[in-house]
Amino acid sequence: MATLPNPLPKLAADPSGRSLGLQLPPGRLIDTTEDGAWHEPLLWHAERSASPGNWKALGAPAGRAGLLPVLIDLGDGQGGPEEWELMPAEMSYAGDHDAEEVLAEFWEECAADGEEWPGLAAGPVLAADADVRAAEVADSLAGGGRSRFKDPHLALVPARRSADVPAAIGWSGPANHENDTARLCAVLRSWEDRFGIRVVALGFDVLVVSVAAPPTTLAEAEAIGAEHFAFCPDNVLQGPGTLDAYAAQLIGERVWSFWWD
């Protein structure tokens, strides 16, 4: 997987982050993977729980330092990321994959026999600035607005773009659907371009993204719902049960959540 220079090792000698232009609270560097210690830290996370405003305060300066924010859940019963079976060695590079090819392959595996892949949905007009929307969603999660996230902590990840964050840490949450998370990150990149998404939060097997251009009509929602089904079949099969019912829930929705059984 192609990577940028990792600023995180500097935090070992400078926990405050001043050398990176940051003012960090007490935190931890994580290098634990399923196969033992990685050769460099995969992420940093704050020791204390996230509060509204943390994302906005740290996100922009962290970005200038080559780090992107994400909330990680330390309270879901699976422990922290050091216990998430991170697999960075198994990740390819998201830029090497075509989003539509990935989704079409998943669709063929999951859809009913004879049901053809409908193709990528068109992106609606952005309804908000993508980074502003991400901060709003992060504040909602930090304030307890989404019950799936029991104890979110702000983390920083060395990544080129928000869509790459899961693969950058070797996140294995979708392993029952896809072992190479970078293939899913290729789809997230496409959603960044079309819908202004940002990866806002990760749990052991949960992904939450903010959406700056949600569908505004049922037809738009149905097209996007097909992509969601291919991306994460459990959202439909263990949720509303049908694509029609699932799509109806997407109209105007500013947060997309995915969970892999």
Side-chain angles (χ1 to χ4, degrees), residues 37-226:
W38 194 238
H39 64 275
E40 60 185 5
L42 295 165
L43 70 147
W44 169 94
H45 73 75
E47 292 282 10
R48 66 174 181 239
S49 301
S51 300
N54 288 167
W55 182 286
K56 182 177 180 180
L58 194 54
R64 290 191 291 270
L67 299 166
L68 296 181
V70 66
L71 297 178
I72 58 171
D73 190 8
L74 272 62
D76 65 355
Q78 301 289 343
E82 65 270 30
E83 300 174 48
W84 285 1
E85 300 175 354
L86 301 180
M87 299 187 294
E90 302 301 317
M91 301 295 119
S92 60
Y93 176 52
D96 290 339
H97 305 287
D98 179 82
E100 182 160 20
E101 290 179 1
V102 171
L103 288 172
E105 179 182 323
F106 287 149
W107 177 270
E108 188 173 340
E109 294 172 356
C110 303
D113 289 343
E115 194 168 1
E116 294 187 3
W117 163 242
L120 295 182
V125 176
L126 288 180
D129 178 273
D131 293 320
V132 171
R133 178 59 51 82
E136 293 171 351
V137 172
D139 284 353
S140 175
L141 290 171
R146 293 272 167 167
S147 60
R148 267 195 193 277
F149 280 76
K150 306 298 184 184
D151 187 19
H153 290 235
L154 186 65
L156 298 176
V157 175
R160 293 178 180 274
R161 50 194 290 182
S162 179
D164 293 351
V165 163
I169 67 171
W171 185 60
S172 60
N176 289 337
H177 182 52
E178 172 56 60
N179 288 322
D180 183 2
T181 305
R183 282 166 46 82
L184 295 178
C185 288
V187 177
L188 293 174
R189 282 183 169 206
S190 179
W191 289 351
E192 269 192 350
D193 296 338
R194 287 181 289 141
F195 309 115
I197 71 100
R198 296 290 186 267
V199 173
V200 172
L202 293 170
F204 174 72
D205 54 7
V206 178
L207 164 70
V208 174
V209 305
S210 59
V211 189
T216 58
T217 68
L218 183 58
E220 290 177 349
E222 288 173 342
I224 294 170

Side-chain angles (χ1 to χ4, degrees), residues 148 171 173-174 204-208 231-239 257-261:
R148 267 195 193 277
W171 185 60
F204 174 72
D205 54 7
V206 178
L207 164 70
V208 174
F231 185 81
C232 180
D234 290 333
N235 263 33
V236 175
L237 300 179
Q238 299 197 39
S257 298
F258 303 95
W259 167 73
W260 290 267
D261 190 3

